[in-house]
């Protein structure tokens, strides 16, 4: 059964859209290979295996998908380059917990890189259409613009066709700064990894436990030390500063982290361990 946690009135379930591989050195930045190779063993092409893990958050009539995964719209060339594995899909794992795509009410993206939003658009009858036709879609405003007009430096990270069908359908809303998407669900645009990447919180400031979707701010349970900034990040200094702030908040508050790319762990807490942080996985559903 998929793993589930509670955050206030929200029930949050880890789903799957398969796996992929990215270059280990790029995922780890300045961290020495002698260290990261032990934590995330690479294949013969120096790529490490990463989960593509959407989450379903349910409260009453609200059925919210946080991040959607990579999707199926990939030529064989790119499937091989990124070793995209479609062992699971978002649609199948959603249906396994009793939710059809038509029943999803909201889709929230932390940013618009293709490995995070590719599955929100599907090909149907020769056209690109929303996979969740009745859902309001949310993404950082600056990320929507980057996806539509990435420019040369960012062209490898975005695909305009991941957002334009959603926009044409009148389902896309941009958010900025710290925005309340729904009561008890907030998105905080912090930047660093990309121009507008956000962390997404559930029941922040409430009386129960707070959950935080880390996106690529903390891509895996091994990236919990503030200096462990990916080489993919466009602003390393900002990433370090924001990671320092949010890791401290999560540790002090006992927040449950939701991990998108960690191969083995969907949920876990970060705590102070001397001058460093430690990760405690949540293994029970």
């Amino acid at each position: 059964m998929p793993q589930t946690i509670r955050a206030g009135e929200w029930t949050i379930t880890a789903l799957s859209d398969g796996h992929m591989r990215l270059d280990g050195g790029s995922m780890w930045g300045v961290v020495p290979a002698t260290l990261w190779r032990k934590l995330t063993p690479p294949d013969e092409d120096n790529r490490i295996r990463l989960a593509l893990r959407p989450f379903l958050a349910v409260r009453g009539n609200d059925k919210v998908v946080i991040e959607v995964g990579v999707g199926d719209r990939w030529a064989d060339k790119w499937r091989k380059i990124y070793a995209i594995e479609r062992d699971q899909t978002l649609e199948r794992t959603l249906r396994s917990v009793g939710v059809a795509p038509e029943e999803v009410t909201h889709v929230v993206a932390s940013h618009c890189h293709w490995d995070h939003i590719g599955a929100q658009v599907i090909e149907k009858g020769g056209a690109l259409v929303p996979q969740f036709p009745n859902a309001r879609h949310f993404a950082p405003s600056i990320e929507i613009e980057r996806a539509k007009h990435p420019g040369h430096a960012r062209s490898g990270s975005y695909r305009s066709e991941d957002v334009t069908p959603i926009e044409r359908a009148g389902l896309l809303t941009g958010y900025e700064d710290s925005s309340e998407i729904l009561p008890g669900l907030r998105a905080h645009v912090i930047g660093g990894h990309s121009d507008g990447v956000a962390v997404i919180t559930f029941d922040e400031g409430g009386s129960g436990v707070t959950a935080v979707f880390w996106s690529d701010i903390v891509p895996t349970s091994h990236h919990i030390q503030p200096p462990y900034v990916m080489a993919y990040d466009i602003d390393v200094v900002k990433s370090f500063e924001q990671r320092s702030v949010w890791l401290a908040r999560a540790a002090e508050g006992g927040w449950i982290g939701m991990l998108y790319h960690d191969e083995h762990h969907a949920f876990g807490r970060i705590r102070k361990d001397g001058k460093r942080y430690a990760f405690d996985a949540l293994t029970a559903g």
Side-chain angles (χ1 to χ4, degrees):
M1 288 292 292
Q3 191 176 1
T4 296
I5 64 161
R6 293 278 298 183
E9 297 178 341
W10 295 95
T11 299
I12 304 174
T13 301
L15 304 175
S16 176
D17 197 51
H19 294 80
M20 66 181 294
R21 288 182 180 268
L22 290 176
D23 179 74
S26 297
M27 283 297 298
W28 281 97
V30 299
V31 177
T34 52
L35 173 59
W36 69 253
R37 283 173 175 268
K38 296 176 183 177
L39 300 174
T40 52
D43 65 9
E44 63 276 8
D45 293 321
N46 208 46
R47 303 173 302 178
I48 64 174
R49 192 168 186 255
L50 301 171
L52 298 162
R53 185 180 291 114
F55 291 86
L56 173 68
V58 177
R59 183 192 58 193
N61 294 324
D62 296 323
K63 294 180 174 64
V64 184
V65 173
I66 304 296
E67 230 79 325
V68 295
V70 71
D72 280 319
R73 295 176 294 104
W74 294 95
D76 287 343
K77 169 186 175 181
W78 298 108
R79 287 178 185 267
K80 292 176 182 177
I81 288 174
Y82 296 115
I84 296 173
E85 304 171 26
R86 304 297 287 151
D87 48 319
Q88 291 284 354
T89 68
L90 174 55
E91 181 183 1
R92 286 203 298 269
T93 54
L94 260 179
R95 290 188 185 278
S96 75
V97 296
V99 178
E102 294 77 17
E103 297 176 281
V104 173
T105 60
H106 301 76
V107 174
V108 183
S110 66
H111 62 306
C112 290
H113 285 175
W114 50 258
D115 59 319
H116 289 251
I117 68 166
Q120 69 182 10
V121 171
I122 59 174
E123 187 172 349
K124 190 174 183 180
L128 296 181
V129 298
Q131 177 164 200
F132 307 102
N134 300 315
R136 297 178 61 196
H137 291 62
F138 295 84
S141 298
I142 192 171
E143 290 291 308
I144 295 170
E145 289 306 307
R146 289 287 179 263
K148 291 161 59 178
H149 311 288
H152 179 71
R154 298 175 176 85
S155 60
S157 299
Y158 297 96
R159 303 187 305 179
S160 62
E161 62 267 28
D162 289 333
V163 298
T164 50
I166 309 296
E167 191 173 55
R168 284 198 304 268
L171 298 174
L172 185 59
T173 299
Y175 63 80
E176 300 175 1
D177 303 321
S178 178
S179 297
E180 187 175 64
I181 307 298
L182 287 167
L185 194 173
R186 299 197 68 87
H188 302 269
V189 177
I190 62 176
H193 170 66
S194 65
D195 289 308
V197 68
V199 293
I200 298 165
T201 60
F202 291 86
D203 202 45
E204 182 183 350
S207 57
V209 65
T210 296
V212 56
F213 176 70
W214 283 119
S215 183
D216 280 344
I217 308 304
V218 184
T220 80
S221 60
H222 303 296
H223 287 78
I224 58 173
Q225 312 308 329
Y228 289 8
V229 177
M230 292 188 290
Y232 290 118
D233 288 21
I234 63 168
D235 189 332
V236 173
V237 173
K238 191 169 188 177
S239 284
F240 174 78
E241 293 172 348
Q242 292 291 343
R243 283 164 52 81
S244 298
V245 169
W246 284 91
L247 284 164
R249 288 190 67 187
E252 291 166 6
W255 293 1
I256 297 176
M258 303 156 58
L259 297 168
Y260 184 72
H261 279 311
D262 192 282
E263 185 179 4
H264 303 292
H265 304 299
F267 300 105
R269 285 186 169 91
I270 295 167
R271 59 178 169 83
K272 267 297 208 180
D273 185 16
K275 294 183 178 180
R276 294 171 62 82
Y277 289 106
F279 178 81
D280 296 322
L282 272 63
T283 55

